[in-house]
Structures are given as structure tokens and as C-alpha cells.
Amino acid sequence: MSANRRFGFLSSERRTRSATVQRAPPPTSDFLLLYALKNTFQRVQTAPSILVGHPTSNTTPIIARTIQDGKEFEMKSPMGLLIKHQVENRIYEVGAQAFTRGLLYMSGNEANQDRDYDLALAEKCFEALKTRRSDDRVIQDLLKEKDLPTYANGKFPQLRKVSLESELYTPYLKLLNFIATFFSRNISGVDEAWQLAVDPNPAMSRLRSQYTGKALRRDFFDTHDNPPNFSRFHDQHAELKPDICLILNQSEGAAEPLSNFHWKDIKVPIEIKRQEDLDNDTVVQAARHAQAVLMEQFDRKFAFGVTLTQTDCRVFHWDTVGSHVTEAIDIHKDPVLFFWTMGRLATMTPIELGYDDHFSNAGRVLSYQALTTTLTIHESKVRQFFDHRPPPPGVESNPSECPSDPPPLVLELDTSDFLFESRDVLFNRATRVWQGFVVENTNPWTTGASRVVKQNWADDARPNEGYFYQLAKGIPGIVQISRMEECDYTSDYHTRVDDKDVIGLLDAIKASREETQDAANTAECYLERVLLRFVFEQGGRPLNKARNGVEVLEAVVQWVEALIALDKVGIVHRDISFGNLLPKLDGSVEGGQAKIIDLGLAHLKPKSGDEQLSEKPREALQCPATTGEEKTPDIFRSEQAHHHVTGTLPFIACELLEQLRANVSSEGRIPHGLHYDVESIFWVVLYLCMRFGGDTVQPWALRAVATLCSLDIDAVASQKDSIMRRFPKLLHIGGDFASLGPFLEEFARYIEKRDDINQPIDALKVRDLAVKHRDILKQVGVDDAVILPSAQPRGPPKSLENSRGSSLKRTYSVRESEWRMSNVEDEVRLQNEDEGLETPSKKRRLNEAGPLEFSTSNRNLV
């Protein structure tokens, strides 16, 4: 869709504003290989030379963040504190004109014409305000309003020297709507991009005729005392109250107040402050507003926000990598730039505001509308590597257009309920998973097979997740993809700003750590992301829906076998977690296949010896940060050894956590292997028992799972150490899955035994262990319901072979939900531990490093 624009009062020349995504021209500067600062691992710069990227998750330094205690304005909830640490060293300040020209417009000749046109329009708008004269009757009526600020002697008097913040709301509201009206009345065709949403299902469109009416408006509204509504997570964000918002609506205009509105309707949130300096609290507020917009608007790829004071204006651009913000625009000294920027924000098309037109009615569905949502997915060629830089000859570059062959797949999505959605983190992969149905015919509307769609912003320095699915094709325990599309690249936004226009990290949110220096003056590496969509033919059930211990153990067997099969084709999963392990689709049917999902953090196993250097998709690169010798970045070999910890913290293997702590002040390597993924299965099953076991789970287990879900790596490591040292307690875990206690106890005993002799876990032995306990449960007929405290014993005790291979017998005594052992030593140790006494059991040695902080602010270390 395009919109013709012209100055109605300047000339009759008509031009076109493109409403379709245009790729930014690729940068021409060479690759840079830079080395990180002291106490971090070697890292590679994969972004353009422009200093606007952010530290790459593919080479995470061993620096973590802890959340500090404290109360700050609009940060009373843990969410505010979490955001505070996420934005540290993640917001770059850019020259105001460079920001407006680069990030408020797309690339290409048409965008250049739009810039010049809008700048001239801003000059005319300011002139009309200053002289209070216009040939347009609508504009002239606005100029007569008493609350509209005047401009005299180089300033707006109504915006200066106010005693209260609230005194700025009305003048700014009037001024912003004046600018928006002036721009919209002199740019023809923009409203065509904001037509009322129409249900793609013709039958539903007729039924929902009540939504028809006037075209959609974008007006600024005073919202400071009227918090927007949320669809989800109300408790976490209820206190958010942006002062003014650009809102999509069907009202008669800003003079008609909105009694009820929603974050889904907000196009640009604005925060107003009386003080002139941009402080940490204001940045956090702006970040939380951006998070709310991106959380509620699933069809949006990036968002804008604005802060206003008595003198200054700043505009933020937020995406999944980080944020860019203008230097302070002095609205009194440079009113034309201010008018230009705000007029542009008010007249952008949905695509220009960050909406993804792969979704039906992108950006145009009002919060109260219940319309069918379709998603169009093209099929991209699966590449092993992504690259936002011009590649050497023979290496594929990013596709510039959506592929047309084969024909796109259209899915009707269930957007009322996500199968999975990333929460609480502003800068991350932003993973969303939907269930959808293939649209076979549009008239009459006919849908067919069910599909699962996964969308995320992957680190483009990592190998392609789709490539791993190709390698894993045919493995029964790994989900299979039917289609993948590369949709967009954050580098396309960032490369619109030149290096010389980047000022550096925003002072207000610099972290107070010596090792995090201004990225404009130090050798840093950068992260860029690529938007990927995967279509899977089969869905799954969450693990907490497993019917009983037998089904869980059957799934454990199949998960281990799948990990072994992945290992044979050279893949290490690296993120075995509760959400990534699924039991079979129908637990009531014999047979079936449990699945492992999400290869987004997977890696290829390192090759031995010189074979590691035999394959690389890039030429050797020169590193300007060194003496000039040729270097080959490891990041460009997907079979490199993995040098940092990934995974979800409650489920990461103990040894990986120990290595993380031990290497915090060294340059050691932390390889990931099959045995760590197998151990993660233990923590997943334990988490299932503790978290979803119901009211009869033992109190110690409830306390333990709360600690495992902590953001404090030391607390998690200590809790895991405690569980492993006191593994007989697992026999007494209680709850709905108490029948898994013996398996967990023997699994933990085996992990400790292998640790004693410094040997990795044998995956085949773990599989056999799960088979043994599954068969035992089937043989004795112990139902999970039977071992609840309120249940009665079923039948006489039956003897089992002790896991240590001795003549000791372990018996099912099904009394008060306990699996009691006849091993006296373990009984005495368990009693002593329950009474708080010290036992002679081996303690896992943990490095006594100081408190760590995660390099990301959620439990996922990526």
C-alpha cells in the first residue's frame, strides 16, 4: 500500500510514501573482529561498524546481574527492578536529526523525498503557530484555542517555569494534536493505510458488521489519570500510567475523552516530567511502556516512545536488541525539529510504526474487536548461517524479499491464548507460539489441518535453528518443521544511522561497573537479531499434564533416546528445560512419542584436532583491535566449542554452574555436552514433582523449588548442591508424582557417583534406569493416587533391587506417602538432616566467588 503526499498549500506535486518494508542497503565496511575486555571470553563483532548494537548473547561474558533491593518511583513491583537492570548499557544516544532521518523513515529514494517534504511541512506548521494564521479553516480554529501554546521571544511561555508536572499536560496535549492535525491535513493518502479492520473470514465479517463506521483516527489523549487496560499480566503492570498517548480510535477527536482504552490501542506512549534532566527512573518508565506495547501487540516488531520536559523532547526506538534515543531536542531553540519529529510519529503508516503485515489487519484492530487473525508464512531457504553484513563470494546473503515460490501458507491463528509467550524481559528472543489452522479456502471460509507456529527473534550470530531441524530430520523424539521463514532483521533498522551520529551509551542508565565502559570508546561486540517463524505439523501437551509417573518415565526414556540421536548427528541441545520437554500427545493411549522442542540454543559438537579449522563460511578477517594479524572468528564455525553457559537456570546441570562460578575471573572454557543435557532431565522431573505435585508436596520441596526459580545464581547453585547431598530425601517428596521419588533418588545417586570418579553421566545408563523404574511401577501397579497421604495402601509391600547393587532391599511401604528404605545408614542421615544436624555426606565443592549477576535479566542464560 502506498500513500500519496503533497503540500496542499505549497504545490500540486504529488509523491508516494511507501507503506511496505524496504530493506536498508547493506553496509560496505569490512567485518571487524574485536576482543572483549579483561575477565570476559573472546567475543566477535558481528554487527556493522556502527556502535549501536548490543553485547551478543552468542558470546555471553561470565558477568551476571543480581536484582538489588529498593523502592523507586513506578518501580514498586519486581517488574520495575527487573527492567531497570535490563536497560543498563542497552540504550544508545543518537544525534536528533540522524535519529529522525534514519529511524523514523525507511530506506530508499522515496524515503529521502518524504524526509525533505516533512521537514518543509514542519517549518510551515511552526510558522502557522507562531503567526497564528492559516488559510485552512480547521487549522485556524485550532489556533484560536486558548490552551494552545504560543511562541514568542524564542520560547513557548506556557511550557516554561511550571511548578507542577500536571501543568504541562494540557499545553502539550493541545500542541501535539495541533501538529498532528496540521500534518495529516497536508499529507494526502496516509489515512488510507489506517482503514477500519475487516475480518478476513467473509462470513464473520458480515456477522461483525457492528464494527463498521468511521475510519480510524490517531489522536493524542491525556491518559495520566486513566491507566490503560491489559489483556494479560494485570498485576505486574497495573500501575503503568503514561501521561499522554497517541491512540488508535474511532472517536470524533481528542476533544472527546476516552473513558476506556487499552494498551493494544496505543501507538506511541509519552511520559512528561517537570525536571529537565533524563534520569534513571524516567528511562525505566519509558522502557516499561515499550514493554507493555510490545507485549500486548503481538503483531508489532518495534515500538516508539517519547519523553517531554519543560525544555526537552526525546524519542526512543525500542526493539528486541536494545534501544536508541535522540539526544535532547530543545523544543524552544529548535522547534522545527520538534514539530518534524512529532508530526512524523503522528502520520506514520502501520508498517512504519513497526507492525508486521504478515498478520491480517496489522496495527488496525481495536482492542474491543474480536476478529479472525491470519498469518501468512512464506518458505525461506534454510541457511546454516545468518548474516547482516555483505558476505564473501559464494556465501548467501539475507533475502531482500519474501519468497513467492512455493506459495505462502495462510494460517488462522488462535490469538486469544498463546501456547507459549516470553514474559517479563524487554530485550530477548521474544518467543511466541500459537496454534493455527491451515486456511484452505477463503470463500467459503474453510480451514484444515492444525499447525503450531513458533516466532522468535534469534541471535543472527548463531547457526540457524532451522538448520538443526534439518539435521535432526527423522529423529522420532524431535519435533519436525514443515516450513521456516526469515522475516526481518534488526540490523536493517540500526544501519540507517551512521557511525558518526552515535553519541554513545545513554548516561542515565550506564551500569556502575568498571568493566562496562562506553561502547563508543571501547572494543565491544554487538548483537543483532533475525525474526524467524517455524511451522510444526504436530503440537504437544505440557509436562504438567502427564497422567502419572509411568507416563513421565516413558517420556524420560524417549527424551534420552532423542538426545542420544541428536548427539550422533553432532547436535547438543543446551536448553533442556521444563517447557522444552513434552510427553506424548495423548497420555491415555498406549504408545505415542514424547518430544523435545526448541533447538534455538543448540550447537554443533566441536570436531577434534585440526578438523575444527577445516570448514568455515567466512574468509579470515583482519582484527583492527590487534596488531593486524589475520584471525578466523570462531563464531563463523558452527562446530566451535561452546564457551558459555546456556539454558534455563533451574535446570542447568550442577557442573556447568560450578564451572561458571569457577571461571568468573579467568578465561577458561565451558563446553556443553550430552551428559549435561541428560542431567537437566533430572532437574526437569524434580521440578515437575515439586511445582505441580499439589497440596501434598513436602514443605521442604516447596521451599526448594522457590529457590531454584530464583534469579540469584549462588542461591540456585547452593540449593542444587543441597538436594544432591541429601538425595535420600527425594524418596519423601510427596505429592501427585510421589511415585517418581525412587527414580529421582537413584538418578541423583548415580550423578553423585559419577561426580566422585570425575566421569560424565552415561546417557544409556540413565535410559535404562528410567526403563527399570517404569517397569517396576507397571509391575506393582502403584498408582500415583494410591501414594497420596489421604489414600489407603494397596496390597502388600513388594521388594525391589537396591540401586547400589547390594543385597539391601528397598520396599514399597506406602505409608504416609513415604518410600522407606531398609538401609539404616540412609535413614539415620535423613533423620539427622531433618533435625538440622550435620552429616558426613560428601559436599559438592563450589567456588567461593562473590555474588554474580546474570548477563540477562530472566532465568534464561542466552
Side-chain angles (χ1 to χ4, degrees):
M1 181 183 300
S2 64
N4 294 321
R5 303 165 46 87
R6 69 180 179 85
F7 285 132
F9 54 87
L10 291 179
S11 72
S12 59
E13 180 185 1
R14 301 182 65 85
R15 300 185 298 100
T16 300
R17 171 182 286 183
S18 174
T20 59
V21 175
Q22 301 180 40
R23 299 288 180 200
T28 58
S29 55
D30 294 333
F31 275 104
L32 298 178
L33 173 61
L34 301 177
Y35 290 88
L37 302 175
K38 185 180 180 181
N39 298 336
T40 64
F41 293 141
Q42 184 185 58
R43 299 181 290 178
V44 178
Q45 174 166 328
T46 58
S49 57
I50 175 174
L51 298 177
V52 293
H54 303 281
T56 172
S57 64
N58 193 61
T59 47
T60 305
I62 302 189
I63 298 174
R65 295 178 180 175
T66 54
I67 295 180
Q68 306 296 327
D69 294 329
K71 302 280 186 179
E72 297 183 61
F73 180 69
E74 208 174 73
M75 294 194 298
K76 295 179 180 179
S77 70
M79 179 58 58
L81 292 172
L82 190 62
I83 292 292
K84 177 179 182 292
H85 287 270
Q86 289 176 42
V87 299
E88 286 180 350
N89 293 345
R90 302 297 287 273
I91 302 180
Y92 281 77
E93 194 171 17
V94 178
Q97 285 217 23
F99 181 102
T100 301
R101 288 184 173 275
L103 294 176
L104 297 188
Y105 295 86
M106 295 181 179
S107 59
N109 292 331
E110 291 182 353
N112 291 332
Q113 295 173 8
D114 285 346
R115 294 183 189 102
D116 296 339
Y117 186 90
D118 290 349
L119 177 56
L121 185 57
E123 293 172 349
K124 291 294 180 180
C125 181
F126 173 63
E127 184 68 20
L129 178 76
K130 185 169 64 173
T131 62
R132 288 324 225 218
R133 290 198 304 268
S134 174
D135 295 334
D136 187 322
R137 187 166 58 183
V138 173
I139 300 299
Q140 187 62 45
D141 289 342
L142 291 177
L143 290 170
K144 295 177 181 179
E145 294 189 5
K146 64 175 184 178
D147 291 325
L148 180 66
T150 58
Y151 188 84
N153 300 320
K155 63 183 178 181
F156 295 94
Q158 294 88 341
L159 302 177
R160 294 285 292 178
K161 297 182 179 180
V162 297
S163 57
L164 297 174
E165 176 185 305
S166 58
E167 295 176 23
L168 293 171
Y169 296 158
T170 298
Y172 264 126
L173 181 65
K174 294 291 185 179
L175 181 58
L176 293 176
N177 276 310
F178 171 77
I179 296 171
T181 303
F182 192 97
F183 268 67
S184 63
R185 289 187 63 80
N186 290 283
I187 301 175
S188 62
V190 171
D191 288 342
E192 294 174 5
W194 291 98
Q195 292 298 306
L196 192 71
V198 177
D199 199 304
N201 182 344
M204 299 306 296
S205 182
R206 289 190 294 271
L207 290 173
R208 294 165 179 165
S209 59
Q210 71 269 23
Y211 296 144
T212 61
K214 299 178 180 179
L216 297 172
R217 299 175 55 96
R218 288 88 55 215
D219 297 296
F220 291 96
F221 288 88
D222 183 345
T223 57
H224 78 279
D225 200 28
N226 188 13
N229 295 320
F230 282 91
S231 296
R232 305 177 298 282
F233 321 129
H234 306 78
D235 295 339
Q236 297 175 348
H237 302 275
E239 75 277 13
L240 290 183
K241 296 180 182 179
D243 297 319
I244 294 177
C245 291
L246 180 66
I247 297 178
L248 189 69
N249 66 94
Q250 283 187 282
S251 71
E252 293 296 330
E256 178 184 336
L258 289 180
S259 58
N260 188 27
F261 68 107
H262 196 283
W263 277 103
K264 187 175 182 179
D265 303 321
I266 295 177
K267 303 309 169 187
V268 180
I270 300 175
E271 189 65 27
I272 296 178
K273 296 296 179 185
R274 178 174 172 271
Q275 74 272 15
E276 297 181 5
D277 295 332
L278 183 67
D279 60 14
N280 193 297
D281 290 352
T282 304
V283 174
V284 170
Q285 284 181 278
R288 294 194 65 190
H289 296 164
Q291 182 190 34
V293 168
L294 294 172
M295 181 177 66
E296 288 290 334
Q297 302 177 24
F298 60 84
D299 53 353
R300 200 159 186 179
K301 297 182 288 187
F302 57 85
F304 294 98
V306 177
T307 61
L308 296 171
T309 70
Q310 298 182 79
T311 58
D312 297 333
C313 167
R314 288 181 184 262
V315 182
F316 290 81
H317 175 281
W318 304 91
D319 57 45
T320 56
V321 169
S323 178
H324 300 81
V325 61
T326 63
E327 62 180 335
I329 301 173
D330 191 316
I331 64 175
H332 303 281
K333 294 181 179 180
D334 198 353
V336 172
L337 179 56
F338 171 66
F339 277 46
W340 177 21
T341 302
M342 301 310 299
R344 172 60 178 166
L345 286 172
T347 55
M348 295 171 78
T349 65
I351 291 176
E352 292 167 341
L353 276 173
Y355 290 96
D356 187 342
D357 63 349
H358 287 74
F359 293 93
S360 58
N361 298 307
R364 295 183 289 115
V365 180
L366 296 166
S367 56
Y368 58 79
Q369 292 180 291
L371 303 182
T372 303
T373 300
T374 62
L375 173 62
T376 301
I377 302 178
H378 304 82
E379 184 167 359
S380 300
K381 183 178 179 181
V382 177
R383 303 181 292 161
Q384 182 176 356
F385 298 96
F386 303 112
D387 191 3
H388 51 266
R389 296 294 304 261
V395 178
E396 294 179 271
S397 62
N398 290 336
S400 59
E401 300 292 341
C402 294
S404 57
D405 187 31
L409 176 69
V410 180
L411 298 174
E412 179 182 334
L413 296 185
D414 179 7
T415 57
S416 62
D417 185 22
F418 295 95
L419 298 179
F420 176 82
E421 182 179 24
S422 295
R423 303 177 182 179
D424 303 344
V425 182
L426 180 59
F427 306 130
N428 69 344
R429 293 190 291 171
T431 303
R432 285 187 170 106
V433 182
W434 296 275
Q435 182 177 20
F437 297 89
V438 178
V439 177
E440 298 177 341
N441 197 348
T442 57
N443 195 11
W445 190 264
T446 307
T447 58
S450 172
R451 294 288 186 266
V452 173
V453 181
K454 173 186 174 181
Q455 169 184 291
N456 71 2
W457 287 87
D459 180 347
D460 74 352
R462 293 186 185 276
N464 184 355
E465 181 179 354
Y467 175 71
F468 291 117
Y469 285 116
Q470 278 195 342
L471 292 182
K473 187 175 182 179
I475 297 178
I478 304 298
V479 293
Q480 305 294 309
I481 62 170
S482 61
R483 176 173 301 230
M484 187 207 83
E485 181 180 4
E486 295 180 35
C487 304
D488 204 0
Y489 312 86
T490 56
S491 57
D492 282 356
Y493 321 142
H494 302 160
T495 53
R496 296 177 194 163
V497 180
D498 293 332
D499 298 16
K500 60 183 176 60
D501 296 313
V502 179
I503 298 170
L505 286 171
L506 184 65
D507 287 333
I509 46 80
K510 282 185 182 178
S512 57
R513 293 194 299 270
E514 181 180 353
E515 66 270 25
T516 52
Q517 302 295 324
D518 190 328
N521 301 315
T522 58
E524 273 288 356
C525 62
Y526 305 101
L527 165 68
E528 296 290 355
R529 293 190 182 275
V530 51
L531 177 60
L532 301 177
R533 291 196 179 100
F534 300 94
V535 180
F536 302 93
E537 295 187 358
Q538 182 182 7
R541 298 158 58 225
L543 183 53
N544 59 294
K545 300 299 183 183
R547 297 173 63 246
N548 50 43
V550 172
E551 184 182 352
V552 173
L553 290 173
E554 287 178 342
V556 170
V557 172
Q558 294 176 340
W559 294 330
V560 174
E561 290 174 344
L563 289 175
I564 293 172
L566 280 179
D567 186 72
K568 289 180 179 178
V569 298
I571 299 175
V572 184
H573 189 284
R574 303 196 308 169
D575 190 19
I576 296 300
S577 61
F578 183 84
N580 290 340
L581 298 180
L582 306 179
K584 59 186 179 181
L585 193 58
D586 189 347
S588 63
V589 178
E590 286 294 327
Q593 177 66 54
K595 297 287 185 180
I596 297 177
I597 64 173
D598 192 0
L599 298 181
L601 298 181
H603 217 59
L604 293 184
K605 293 167 56 180
K607 296 181 179 180
S608 59
D610 293 336
E611 292 181 357
Q612 275 192 292
L613 303 177
S614 64
E615 298 180 14
K616 57 180 183 294
R618 303 289 186 274
E619 299 295 330
L621 307 176
Q622 185 164 339
C623 175
T626 63
T627 57
E629 69 269 24
E630 295 293 314
K631 298 290 183 181
T632 302
D634 282 348
I635 194 60
F636 298 138
R637 296 192 304 271
S638 68
E639 62 275 329
Q640 79 203 64
H642 178 56
H643 299 159
H644 69 283
V645 172
T646 66
T648 306
L649 187 56
F651 314 109
I652 294 176
C654 291
E655 188 175 351
L656 280 177
L657 291 182
E658 291 179 21
Q659 291 188 50
L660 175 63
R661 292 158 58 91
N663 285 289
V664 70
S665 58
S666 70
E667 295 187 359
R669 301 303 192 219
I670 305 179
H672 201 122
L674 169 64
H675 54 292
Y676 293 134
D677 283 344
V678 173
E679 181 183 332
S680 291
I681 292 178
F682 167 83
W683 296 107
V684 169
V685 176
L686 179 61
Y687 178 85
L688 169 70
C689 295
M690 296 190 298
R691 175 67 176 80
F692 296 98
D695 296 336
T696 56
V697 174
Q698 293 294 320
W700 67 265
L702 297 176
R703 292 191 297 269
V705 73
T707 304
L708 290 177
C709 293
S710 166
L711 296 176
D712 186 341
I713 192 172
D714 291 294
V716 174
S718 297
Q719 182 62 66
K720 289 190 174 187
D721 175 59
S722 176
I723 290 172
M724 298 307 292
R725 286 189 290 110
R726 303 176 180 184
F727 55 79
K729 241 184 174 182
L730 298 175
L731 293 168
H732 303 255
I733 196 168
D736 297 349
F737 295 99
S739 61
L740 294 172
F743 166 71
L744 289 170
E745 187 272 345
E746 190 168 356
F747 197 165
R749 190 187 301 273
Y750 175 67
I751 293 173
E752 286 289 276
K753 180 179 178 181
R754 301 297 288 185
D755 185 57
D756 285 343
I757 61 177
N758 198 27
Q759 291 293 322
I761 295 172
D762 187 327
L764 289 174
K765 290 187 179 297
V766 173
R767 181 200 63 182
D768 295 342
L769 179 66
V771 169
K772 181 181 78 170
H773 283 271
R774 177 200 65 189
D775 293 344
I776 288 173
L777 290 183
K778 287 182 176 180
Q779 176 186 354
V780 301
V782 176
D783 192 302
D784 289 298
V786 175
I787 61 174
L788 295 176
S790 59
Q792 297 297 320
R794 176 186 294 174
K798 308 213 177 199
S799 62
L800 307 172
E801 284 296 319
N802 186 279
S803 62
R804 294 177 177 175
S806 67
S807 59
L808 294 174
K809 303 293 182 181
R810 184 179 299 144
T811 61
Y812 288 96
S813 62
V814 195
R815 184 176 58 194
E816 295 180 354
S817 78
E818 296 180 355
W819 299 81
R820 304 187 68 84
M821 298 177 60
S822 58
N823 187 331
V824 177
E825 175 189 349
D826 286 334
E827 288 286 359
V828 171
R829 178 167 62 177
L830 183 60
Q831 180 180 354
N832 287 342
E833 290 173 344
D834 286 340
E835 294 174 356
L837 302 178
E838 193 62 52
T839 66
S841 59
K842 180 183 73 69
K843 292 186 178 180
R844 191 173 284 269
R845 297 181 186 88
L846 292 177
N847 184 279
E848 296 300 325
L852 303 180
E853 304 178 8
F854 287 121
S855 56
T856 58
S857 298
N858 66 340
R859 292 191 298 273
N860 279 1
L861 295 178
V862 288

